[in-house]
Each structure stands twice: as structure tokens, then as C-alpha cells.
Amino acid sequence: MSQQPLFMTHHARARVEQRRIGQAGLRAATLYGDRFVQVDGSVLHLVTRRAAQRLQDELGLRPGYVDDHYRGVYVVVSRSGAVVTAGRRWQGAGGRIRRS
């Protein structure tokens, strides 16, 4: 994975720390996650089932490891390229994230 740092807003840094998402999770979402363009032009990167499979195939990671550490991680990137927020998508109605 790329080692170039992501530019993160103050809010994003707080959320990443609060939600305990490591740099590897952020990179996995931005490089391998499925992309959903929002109406305001921001892009949601989400590690879906397909993205998790890509991680396993391309990086040779174990399925259990990918599911535990990366699956469900999302990153929202603004049009300017800054990470606005990040988190984990949980199962159930309370865990849904808006995709427009």
C-alpha cells in the first residue's frame, strides 16, 4: 500500500482516534474500497465484501484478518482531497451510512 500520508481535517483526526481506525484501515479503504460519489462531490470509500475480497487476493491477507480489521471501514474524502471523516459501518439499521 502507498505510504504517502493522507491530509485529514481536525474532525477526521478526532474521529479516527475515537473510532480506533489505524492508518492501514484508512489506506485499505481509500485504495481498495468501493467508491460512492455523493451529491456534494465528496467520495465515500467503503470496504465492502467485494473490496475485502480484493484485499485478500492482491495482498495475500487471510479472510478472517480482513474481516476483523478492514471490512466495514469507510472514509469520506472531500472534493479537495481532504479526509473529512472515517468510521466503521456496523450491521443493523443503526449502522447504515448514507450513500445518497
Side-chain angles (χ1 to χ4, degrees):
M1 286 190 252
S2 173
Q3 296 300 316
Q4 185 175 2
L6 296 169
F7 175 74
M8 297 174 62
T9 63
H10 178 69
H11 173 80
R13 277 193 297 273
R15 292 297 167 255
V16 165
E17 184 177 321
Q18 177 187 35
R19 296 169 180 164
R20 298 176 191 211
I21 300 171
Q23 288 295 317
L26 296 174
R27 296 248 177 256
T30 55
L31 295 175
Y32 294 96
D34 291 334
R35 291 163 178 83
F36 302 95
V37 179
Q38 305 295 304
V39 293
D40 64 352
S42 61
V43 179
L44 169 69
H45 300 268
L46 174 63
V47 180
T48 60
R49 195 173 331 155
R50 285 188 309 246
Q53 186 64 47
R54 282 193 298 271
L55 277 165
Q56 293 170 31
D57 295 343
E58 294 182 26
L59 300 180
L61 299 173
R62 291 181 298 116
Y65 182 82
V66 171
D67 283 344
D68 289 345
H69 291 89
Y70 301 129
R71 191 162 170 207
V73 172
Y74 67 88
V75 177
V76 178
V77 180
S78 69
R79 292 175 67 177
S80 66
V83 175
V84 178
T85 193
R88 294 185 191 276
R89 182 177 180 202
W90 301 104
Q91 297 294 325
R96 292 191 184 136
I97 52 178
R98 185 175 166 198
R99 287 196 242 156
S100 296

